[in-house]
Amino acid sequence: MNELIFFINKVLISGSIIGSIYALGAIGVTLVFGILRFANFSHADLMTSGAYLSFVFAALLPGLGPVIGLPTGFVVLPLSILFLAAFAVTIDVMFYRPLRKRNVRPVMLLVASLGVTLMLHGVIRLFAGTSPRTFFAEQNKDVFRIDVPFETTTRDLIISEPQVLLIITTIICIVSLHQFLTRTRLGKAMRAMSDNSELALVSGINTDKVVQATWVIAGTLAAIAGTLLALDVVLKPDLSFNLLLPIFAAAIVGGIGRPYGAIAGGLLVGFSETLAVFNWSVLLRPFAEYFPEWVEIPSRLNFVPTEYKIIVPFVILIAVLIWRPTGIFRGQVI
Amino acid sequence: MLINAINLVAGYGGEPVLRGVNFAIDSGDIGVIVGPNGAGKTTALKSIFGLIRLSKGSVQLEGEDITNVPPDRRVRLGIGYVTQERNVFPSLTVRENLEMGAFIRKDKFSPVIDNMFELFPPLAQKADDVAGQLSGGQRQMVAIARALMVSPRLLLLDEPTVGLSPAFVSEIVDRILTIARSGVGVLIVEQNAKRALEIADIGFVLASGKNLFTDSGKNLLNDPEVAKSFLGG
Amino acid sequence: MNFRRYQREYLFFASVGVAVVLIVLNFGDAYALRMLAEAACYAILALGLTIQWGYAGLFNAGGMGFVAIGGYITMLIAFPVNHDFWGSEGAAALGEFLLEMLVVVAVVIGITQIHRIGIRGKLKVILILIALVIAFFVFNNQLVPVARLIERESGFIGGLGLPVMLGWIAGGLAAAFVAYWIGKACLGLRADYLAIATLGIAEIIKAILKNADWLTRGTLTVSPLPWPVPTPNDIGFVAARAAYLALTAILVAVLFVLLQRAYRAPWGRMMRAIRDDEVAAAAMGKDINLRRLQMFVLGSGLIGFGGAVLISFSRIFDPSGFTPLKHTFLVWVMVLVGGAANNLGAIFGAVAVYIIWLMGEPIMLFLFENVRLYGSLWFDWQAPDDLMARALQARVFFIGLTITLALRFVPNGLIPERIGRIN
């Protein structure tokens, strides 16, 4: 039974955690891709910026967390959301809108987003340095150990407070995004513009406003994902550059412009990663006596060594591009 | 005149497609633009809606010059435009498509939606279906209804019956007549010249970016020269 | 040549010349030669990217990966033979492993042909997927003990001790080979997908080179890499670097002439037609994806080749030294600033941007030394200890800024494409 608990800790819990992060990132990427028609390479650095914003606010308001009883980094989240959403809109006005007005090919916007991502890279490194930081210097990170009521188990299910917050916040985000997209005029206009931007213009939809709303949502989700990831792991400048590929893979698997697809894609990529690096020997060992004698269970038995984890989203990405470029949810962009 | 387009010259870079054409229709009239392929029919409609920058000429809506007004503002001024292809939002429901048509309306528009369902009864049953799954004719209804949601003064239709089955064609034509009778000016681009001219109050025959003939639909149909040049005898 | 017509070109190259003279005076011959030799290597990279971006409009965000492949293959081919390895059990184990893998590959290929015995459709796809997963599982778990054995006995497998130039060509070919498969998967789709895929493959290549110690010594690095010309140990820094520079300059010149000819040939004209109006080109019956694949493979091959030359020059193979910044984005800036569809522009961009990039280092240090000084004088500001390291990292901000500014204000680069010249 201990092995099973190990599996739940290492695969189910880790997978949903990283899957949620990917999902939040992929929703932002997929919305921008759907509306503005380019793969936003700066999204991961937007997430990192959000995490650093939260770090700054947490440092400015250190007393806030203990009062409410939650990590300070989480409590200041609304502030970072506000700032990052405004920041995302500003970036659009400064760097993307002038290009759009000139009617350039969408891939030019992609190049611009590379420029933006490098700028964010530089600014973060200049002001924060490259050394990792933690949100829990003055506050303890609560870890819940859930005793499993079986006699044969000695291990506990382990989940930390930031992880619980992450899962709850992700669910809240998804539900509110769904409400926004299906119930509000602006949300419907976003879906409309993602469907067919020329027709949106012809219908009299204020496309500038839709673009702004898109950046606000992308910024909001990036702030949430970045902060919660930093709370769960650690805050460092290249935190999210490694997330770029899995997030793109998730967005493409889900179908570009399909937020629900992005959620499914995020979880798919997240679980594939954890399953691929999981050491399957742990699960096989209890059954060692049932194997013939000449079979020796190696101490490590995994599909992909942890160092090569990045191969997993890449393989998923390529497989989808070859077999079904529109993604499992039939996105509209190929 | 509801709409008066004077001496339009426009194109996509290079040789102009329109080389000085004129259109004018009154409220409640159906105007039809016909002509051979490449005559500039669709371009004419686009330039009236402002999707193409004019290099010469002007467009007036009820006497007011709108030549330099961008397309989304023209919607507010009361021009509805239905493109030939990709004219619905496929992943939105029929009702949502209509709501998008009413995006600029600040008032309560649910009665307008009900009117549309009255005008196009098949849509009422499909109100909550995704538009991408409708048949071609139903999509065309959604597209026209979407454009009507702003209660436009002028409706521009680009080949509204292309690729539809005969039953749908007559239904759409019927609706267009109803719309015009309610006082909306309708300007239609049509490939099927004969049928279109039958319902036209005024017909514009274009060739190589110029007005060839302009007359009432009936007269054009009976004009032997028009018949000879492209009505196929 | 008509001076007025090429005024821009003369002007820009003259200013580069002035900069070089100033650098020679300030930093000495050896430094300037190193800078120019590296800039020449970057010029090859920029020419490769120009083919992809400028000629064909393809977005390659994985320059680093192809540079790394070129660098590794050169090391493998040209580095002296590691006799420890060839005499050890590790060599035998590796041979055995390779044979096993041949069998695995044969089985997988066999399974891809099962439609011949009547298994088709979904079932076939599923079987192939299962076979691939199992094959990968076997590959991964068989490799680990062999790799451990080699690392324990003899460090790494070493090189083959063949001529360096052969290594460069092989490096280019290897990069082209990888590009072929990436291109096959992505070129029918939007440019964005190619960008994402190349970004991914670059990171994967780096991860492999960094962690496969038995192949590359990983973080221990391999040096000194051999040169095709006498090394500084033989004839001193200045002479050796001058020789290397001469060689790379010849390479750049030859490549330039060849590309210029191709650009003016019907083949180049067709490529531009495809880039500018895909639909019209398709209507003329051009197989667009095949053409694009050619361009992508050719460009990536050049990047691999240039990477090989660049890494050889540095004399050290260090997988951690490959960074997207230096080997992907810097090249992008060169091409965007220089002029996307212009070979001369790419070369100019490479030299000019590389000079600015190198000079950025002392300039940033100088600036931030002053920031620290006046910050503490005027505001009693205690600068963080790693301020200088941060200042260098912050150079990436200017790379990004240059990209966005170039896109906005000089979308065609400083030396734009000259359409008139071809007719």
Side-chain angles (χ1 to χ4, degrees), chain A:
Chain A
M1 281 310 285
N2 270 337
E3 288 79 10
L4 193 66
I5 304 239
F6 185 75
F7 178 80
I8 294 175
N9 279 336
K10 281 283 167 191
V11 174
L12 291 187
I13 294 180
S14 299
S16 11
I17 297 300
I18 195 68
S20 305
I21 295 283
Y22 291 165
L24 288 176
I27 296 172
V29 163
T30 214
L31 286 177
V32 171
F33 208 152
I35 302 267
L36 296 165
R37 303 274 180 247
F38 74 98
N40 179 14
F41 272 64
S42 68
H43 196 79
D45 269 297
L46 212 54
M47 285 165 67
T48 320
S49 311
Y52 274 95
L53 273 177
S54 299
F55 187 79
V56 171
F57 288 127
L60 291 176
L61 308 161
L64 219 52
V67 173
I68 299 179
L70 290 168
T72 315
F74 181 76
V75 179
V76 297
L77 201 48
L79 278 175
S80 358
I81 289 175
L82 213 64
F83 271 75
L84 199 67
F87 187 51
V89 173
T90 315
I91 291 179
D92 179 65
V93 170
M94 286 173 68
F95 300 111
Y96 302 129
R97 199 166 69 179
L99 296 179
R100 274 204 305 278
K101 293 283 173 229
R102 235 178 39 216
N103 267 329
V104 296
R105 284 180 295 150
V107 68
M108 292 292 181
L109 293 171
L110 190 158
V111 183
S113 80
L114 265 178
V116 169
T117 208
L118 296 178
M119 285 159 68
L120 293 178
H121 241 67
V123 171
I124 290 171
R125 281 167 168 72
L126 180 62
F127 286 106
T130 44
S131 45
R133 290 158 194 275
T134 170
F135 276 96
F136 296 97
E138 290 167 31
Q139 223 179 338
N140 286 330
K141 192 191 272 195
D142 287 333
V143 175
F144 307 116
R145 293 176 181 279
I146 303 157
D147 191 26
V148 184
F150 282 108
E151 285 190 5
T152 49
T153 56
T154 51
R155 273 175 192 278
D156 293 334
L157 283 175
I158 300 173
I159 185 161
S160 71
E161 191 180 8
Q163 294 177 332
V164 176
L165 290 174
L166 169 63
I167 290 175
I168 294 172
T169 317
T170 307
I171 293 171
I172 294 175
C173 284
I174 291 170
V175 172
S176 16
L177 184 71
H178 176 77
Q179 296 294 322
F180 173 75
L181 288 176
T182 52
R183 296 274 187 279
T184 68
R185 212 138 86 121
L186 196 55
K188 289 175 193 171
M190 269 181 74
R191 283 161 57 215
M193 191 169 163
S194 165
D195 260 7
N196 186 340
S197 57
E198 286 130 55
L199 185 60
L201 195 70
V202 166
S203 304
I205 292 174
N206 183 342
T207 48
D208 284 342
K209 202 164 152 192
V210 175
V211 169
Q212 260 178 24
T214 310
W215 284 114
V216 167
I217 294 175
T220 302
L221 294 175
I224 293 171
T227 304
L228 287 166
L229 179 64
L231 280 168
D232 180 31
V233 197
V234 70
L235 181 61
K236 51 182 184 190
D238 46 3
L239 181 71
S240 51
F241 196 66
N242 306 325
L243 293 177
L244 205 50
L245 190 66
I247 286 175
F248 278 137
I252 290 172
V253 167
I256 291 299
R258 299 270 177 269
Y260 314 118
I263 298 161
L267 291 173
L268 178 83
V269 173
F271 277 109
S272 310
E273 271 188 6
T274 45
L275 283 172
V277 300
F278 182 71
N279 184 2
W280 292 91
S281 299
V282 177
L283 283 191
L284 289 179
R285 239 173 265 141
F287 305 101
E289 50 192 291
Y290 303 110
F291 286 116
E293 263 174 39
W294 52 271
V295 173
E296 191 189 334
I297 298 173
S299 61
R300 282 205 68 80
L301 195 63
N302 47 18
F303 285 98
V304 181
T306 319
E307 311 91 89
Y308 298 131
K309 200 161 73 174
I310 192 170
I311 289 179
V312 177
F314 183 77
V315 169
I316 295 176
L317 174 76
I318 293 291
V320 170
L321 289 186
I322 291 174
W323 277 304
R324 193 153 170 168
T326 49
I328 39 181
F329 282 75
R330 290 266 178 239
Q332 71 274 60
V333 185
I334 31 169

Side-chain angles (χ1 to χ4, degrees), chain A residues 37 39 302-303 321 333-334, chain C residues 59 140 190 192-193 407-408:
Chain A
R37 303 274 180 247
N302 47 18
F303 285 98
L321 289 186
V333 185
I334 31 169
Chain C
F59 192 100
N140 173 25
R190 282 174 61 98
D192 306 77
Y193 292 76
L407 281 177
R408 186 155 164 198

Side-chain angles (χ1 to χ4, degrees), chain B:
Chain B
M1 280 292 137
L2 170 66
I3 186 89
N4 200 355
I6 305 154
N7 193 27
L8 304 181
V9 178
Y12 307 87
E15 280 288 292
V17 181
L18 300 180
R19 300 187 298 163
V21 292
N22 298 288
F23 305 103
I25 62 168
D26 255 328
S27 296
D29 274 359
I30 295 178
V32 170
I33 306 176
V34 295
N37 277 334
K41 303 189 294 285
T42 297
T43 312
L45 221 50
K46 279 185 180 170
S47 56
I48 291 174
F49 191 67
L51 287 174
I52 292 176
R53 185 180 281 275
L54 295 177
S55 46
K56 243 190 222 157
S58 67
V59 182
Q60 288 165 2
L61 186 69
E62 293 192 330
E64 193 188 337
D65 188 89
I66 57 164
T67 313
N68 293 315
V69 176
D72 52 324
R73 293 273 310 145
R74 291 188 201 207
V75 178
R76 285 162 202 267
L77 291 175
I79 303 182
Y81 178 47
V82 179
T83 53
Q84 184 189 338
E85 285 167 323
R86 302 191 358 112
N87 52 17
V88 298
F89 300 111
S91 73
L92 269 58
T93 64
V94 169
R95 191 186 295 278
E96 285 171 337
N97 263 280
L98 300 189
E99 281 175 38
M100 287 303 105
F103 190 81
I104 60 168
R105 287 186 87 117
K106 297 273 178 271
D107 53 342
K108 254 205 138 354
F109 49 78
S110 51
V112 191
I113 292 188
D114 292 339
N115 287 347
M116 289 306 137
F117 288 151
E118 243 167 70
L119 186 63
F120 298 106
L123 298 187
Q125 299 143 18
K126 303 263 180 183
D128 294 316
D129 285 13
V130 175
Q133 288 167 353
L134 301 181
S135 73
Q138 289 165 339
R139 274 193 218 204
Q140 199 62 45
M141 292 179 190
V142 172
I144 296 175
R146 194 215 79 238
L148 287 173
M149 284 301 293
V150 285
S151 313
R153 293 184 269 179
L154 173 68
L155 182 64
L156 306 173
L157 300 174
D158 195 349
E159 306 216 14
T161 61
V162 72
L164 299 188
S165 65
F168 269 124
V169 170
S170 54
E171 180 152 8
I172 296 276
V173 168
D174 210 42
R175 295 307 139 207
I176 292 173
L177 288 169
T178 318
I179 294 164
R181 233 176 288 138
S182 71
V184 179
V186 185
L187 188 57
I188 309 171
V189 161
E190 247 313 339
Q191 195 71 249
N192 188 332
K194 217 172 203 167
R195 195 179 53 218
L197 289 174
E198 278 165 15
I199 62 163
D201 295 304
I202 182 163
F204 306 94
V205 181
L206 294 198
S208 344
K210 288 195 163 163
N211 291 82
L212 205 58
F213 306 99
T214 304
D215 208 333
S216 72
K218 204 188 279 168
N219 288 351
L220 286 176
L221 277 174
N222 298 331
D223 186 328
E225 241 185 297
V226 175
K228 197 175 72 193
S229 45
F230 66 89
L231 289 183

Side-chain angles (χ1 to χ4, degrees), chain A residues 105, chain C residues 50-58 271 274-275 292 295:
Chain A
R105 284 180 295 150
Chain C
T50 283
I51 295 180
Q52 296 176 335
W53 174 245
Y55 289 13
L58 300 171
M271 289 316 306
I274 291 176
R275 176 196 63 193
R292 282 190 173 150
M295 299 306 261

